[in-house]
Amino acid sequence: MEKIKIPKATAKRLPLYYRYLIILNEEGKEKVSSTELSEAVQVDSASIRRDFSYFGALGKRGYGYDVKSLLSFFKKILNQDTLTNVALVGVGNLGRALLNYNFKRSNNIRISCAFDINQDITGRILSGVPVYDMSELKQQLSDQQISIAILTVPSEQAQATANQMFEAGIKGVMNFTPIRISAPSTVRVQNVDLATELQTLIYFLESDEAAKESNEE
Amino acid sequence: MEKIKIPKATAKRLPLYYRYLIILNEEGKEKVSSTELSEAVQVDSASIRRDFSYFGALGKRGYGYDVKSLLSFFKKILNQDTLTNVALVGVGNLGRALLNYNFKRSNNIRISCAFDINQDITGRILSGVPVYDMSELKQQLSDQQISIAILTVPSEQAQATANQMFEAGIKGVMNFTPIRISAPSTVRVQNVDLATELQTLIYFLESDEAAKESNEE
DNA sequence: TGATATATGTGCATGATTGAACAATCATTT
DNA sequence: AAATGATTGTTCAATCATGCACATATATCA
């Protein structure tokens, strides 16, 4: 349906725009300018206009963008009109936290099943989500037509578990383990590496500090 | 001390390299080539070599890189020789999970104090970390000389809480709320937006799918 | 010792991303 | 109806990041 080629950087910002549009709409705002949006999402206003323009002329010159129509447009683009079910693989500390995380409110995403090998929790329902044994992965994913999974197992089991997931037909993985898992080319992996991000932050702070000191000299 | 200008993209990869070097070292490997590393961290080997070269000639032609010396070099660069204490602000589901997350093992980072407004948990010790009331923020951060914090409060309180943190002298924030908080220019904010990342993954999958279908026509 | 294989460090060309600037266009006011 | 003001959509130049390709240097083996 969509034949438009969207730059990667733009695609990453779309959900961000979408969320702010929801907020604006709830506040009852009818129009919004790229400058206003720019302040809220902290993206240059020209970039916002260009991002939008990939989808056509969505705004009106001298006026701005109509919140409601922009919202409903992005709702379609981002497949927010239908609920997306995802699976959670690995119900440890982080997994449990994600079970309680409300992806649904502004994103229409729902964790509809979870998997683990711990007999103490399999067969139970945690935070409203049934937890199955890993042996049921293939069957459940197929039954529920789920192709996206969140991976939150210990690093040592990351690759082996991922392989099972690919076997079971998973096409997209949000990988919370620090391991860069290798995957078939048909599968997309998004890495969320908490320790690395924190360490990068620290590194930048140190170099900020160093730069400041050398300026003072 | 460091006068080297490192590209942002490189800086983001450093912790990744560092972690794999630790693993290699534990496995007892003595040397490693950029090609080998490339497979593990999934970064082009030429990029790895260039990343390393910003710090000088760390390798030997025809041989590769000495794991131990590379490791100790990066340990210094990344300030891994001293423990970095950080604070956690907001002890909800995600906050609790992070309290249990082991940043220390491969990153020498430790959450040494947490803050919340919930009287049921303030004054207690959770997962080995003392939880203080928000009113003690300034005092504790100053006493413990902490300048980095993880923000995991509900979105509605994100900006107000962040302001308190800046007031208390925080210089780096890892922001888990979906709100783009505004901060003084002296403060660095790293956003980790879980819902957005998941949604971006879904978006890419959809467009992959669309591309495949149009190829089949 | 000489030949061969290996792997670094880097020049270069290409592609992606960004922000400034501005003409084009629309809304609003007089 | 004309003038004014606002804001888009887009061109352009500059910056950043990537991966190829290869000269250069080192190790290894005959």
Side-chain angles (χ1 to χ4, degrees):
Chain A
M1 183 184 175
E2 275 100 51
K3 292 162 191 169
I4 330 158
K5 257 292 181 204
I6 307 297
K8 217 175 155 189
T10 297
K12 282 186 187 174
R13 286 189 289 262
L14 295 182
L16 193 58
Y17 299 145
Y18 182 67
R19 176 162 36 222
Y20 270 93
L21 286 173
I22 291 179
I23 294 174
L24 289 175
N25 191 44
E26 282 174 354
E27 286 173 353
K29 288 205 75 172
E30 291 192 349
K31 67 168 185 173
V32 64
S33 72
S34 58
T35 321
E36 264 180 286
L37 259 178
S38 174
E39 282 170 35
V41 299
Q42 295 175 6
V43 172
D44 181 81
S45 69
S47 292
I48 294 182
R49 292 198 296 279
R50 182 174 308 103
D51 284 348
F52 288 2
S53 77
Y54 289 119
F55 300 98
L58 304 178
K60 270 186 197 169
R61 299 178 187 222
Y63 177 87
Y65 299 89
D66 181 77
V67 173
K68 270 203 171 8
S69 57
L70 202 54
L71 187 60
S72 69
F73 184 80
F74 277 123
K75 183 175 270 178
K76 266 183 210 148
I77 294 291
L78 291 172
N79 275 77
Q80 291 290 302
D81 34 10
T82 55
L83 180 69
T84 303
N85 287 311
V86 305
L88 176 79
V89 180
V91 188
N93 288 309
L94 188 54
R96 265 170 233 250
L98 293 176
L99 283 181
N100 286 296
Y101 198 93
N102 194 349
F103 291 103
K104 198 171 178 184
R105 188 179 129 63
S106 63
N107 294 82
N108 218 4
I109 298 168
R110 178 175 160 260
I111 297 177
S112 64
C113 55
F115 299 88
D116 206 301
I117 50 168
N118 181 354
Q119 303 279 332
D120 296 340
I121 53 173
T122 55
R124 292 179 50 197
I125 291 179
L126 293 181
S127 309
V129 179
V131 182
Y132 301 99
D133 187 84
M134 278 300 287
S135 60
E136 297 182 65
L137 186 67
K138 195 164 189 172
Q139 185 66 51
Q140 284 297 330
L141 294 187
S142 154
D143 284 359
Q144 303 194 34
Q145 297 190 16
I146 290 176
S147 60
I148 296 168
I150 301 173
L151 181 63
T152 45
V153 299
S155 337
E156 310 83 48
Q157 290 146 41
Q159 185 64 60
T161 309
N163 292 343
Q164 289 181 64
M165 286 157 57
F166 304 146
E167 183 74 21
I170 283 294
K171 293 298 172 207
V173 179
M174 195 167 173
N175 174 27
F176 278 89
T177 79
I179 303 296
R180 291 290 188 263
I181 55 181
S182 56
S185 64
T186 53
V187 174
R188 222 171 236 277
V189 179
Q190 181 112 345
N191 296 303
V192 180
D193 195 331
L194 301 181
T196 291
E197 301 237 16
L198 190 47
Q199 196 165 342
T200 303
L201 174 64
I202 294 172
Y203 177 81
F204 279 131
L205 282 177
E206 307 276 349
S207 49
D208 283 357
E209 202 57 38
K212 210 168 61 184
E213 277 163 24
S214 74
N215 278 345
E216 282 165 7
E217 284 174 32
Chain B
M1 182 186 178
E2 275 99 52
K3 292 163 191 170
I4 329 158
K5 256 292 180 204
I6 306 298
K8 217 175 155 188
T10 297
K12 283 186 187 174
R13 285 188 289 262
L14 296 181
L16 194 58
Y17 298 145
Y18 181 68
R19 173 160 39 222
Y20 269 94
L21 286 172
I22 291 179
I23 294 175
L24 290 175
N25 190 44
E26 282 173 354
E27 285 174 355
K29 288 206 74 170
E30 292 192 348
K31 67 168 185 173
V32 64
S33 70
S34 59
T35 322
E36 263 180 287
L37 260 178
S38 173
E39 282 170 35
V41 299
Q42 296 176 7
V43 173
D44 181 81
S45 69
S47 292
I48 294 181
R49 292 198 296 279
R50 170 142 341 108
D51 284 348
F52 288 1
S53 77
Y54 289 119
F55 300 98
L58 303 179
K60 270 186 195 167
R61 299 180 189 223
Y63 178 85
Y65 299 89
D66 181 77
V67 173
K68 269 202 173 6
S69 57
L70 201 56
L71 188 59
S72 68
F73 184 80
F74 276 122
K75 184 176 267 179
K76 267 183 209 143
I77 293 291
L78 292 172
N79 275 76
Q80 290 291 300
D81 32 12
T82 55
L83 179 68
T84 303
N85 287 312
V86 305
L88 176 79
V89 180
V91 189
N93 288 308
L94 188 54
R96 266 170 231 249
L98 293 177
L99 283 181
N100 286 296
Y101 198 91
N102 194 349
F103 291 104
K104 198 171 178 183
R105 187 179 131 63
S106 64
N107 293 83
N108 218 4
I109 298 168
R110 178 175 161 261
I111 298 177
S112 63
C113 55
F115 299 88
D116 206 300
I117 50 167
N118 181 354
Q119 304 279 333
D120 297 339
I121 54 173
T122 55
R124 292 179 51 196
I125 290 179
L126 293 182
S127 310
V129 179
V131 182
Y132 301 98
D133 187 84
M134 278 300 288
S135 60
E136 297 182 65
L137 185 67
K138 195 164 188 170
Q139 185 66 51
Q140 284 296 330
L141 294 187
S142 156
D143 285 358
Q144 304 194 34
Q145 297 190 15
I146 290 175
S147 60
I148 296 168
I150 302 173
L151 181 61
T152 46
V153 298
S155 337
E156 309 84 47
Q157 290 145 41
Q159 185 64 59
T161 309
N163 291 344
Q164 289 182 65
M165 286 158 56
F166 304 146
E167 182 74 21
I170 284 295
K171 292 299 172 207
V173 179
M174 194 169 174
N175 175 27
F176 278 90
T177 78
I179 303 297
R180 292 291 188 261
I181 56 181
S182 56
S185 63
T186 53
V187 174
R188 222 171 237 277
V189 179
Q190 182 111 345
N191 296 304
V192 181
D193 195 331
L194 300 181
T196 292
E197 301 238 16
L198 188 47
Q199 195 165 343
T200 303
L201 174 63
I202 293 172
Y203 177 81
F204 279 131
L205 284 177
E206 306 277 347
S207 49
D208 283 357
E209 201 56 38
K212 210 167 61 185
E213 275 165 25
S214 73
N215 279 344
E216 283 166 6
E217 284 174 34

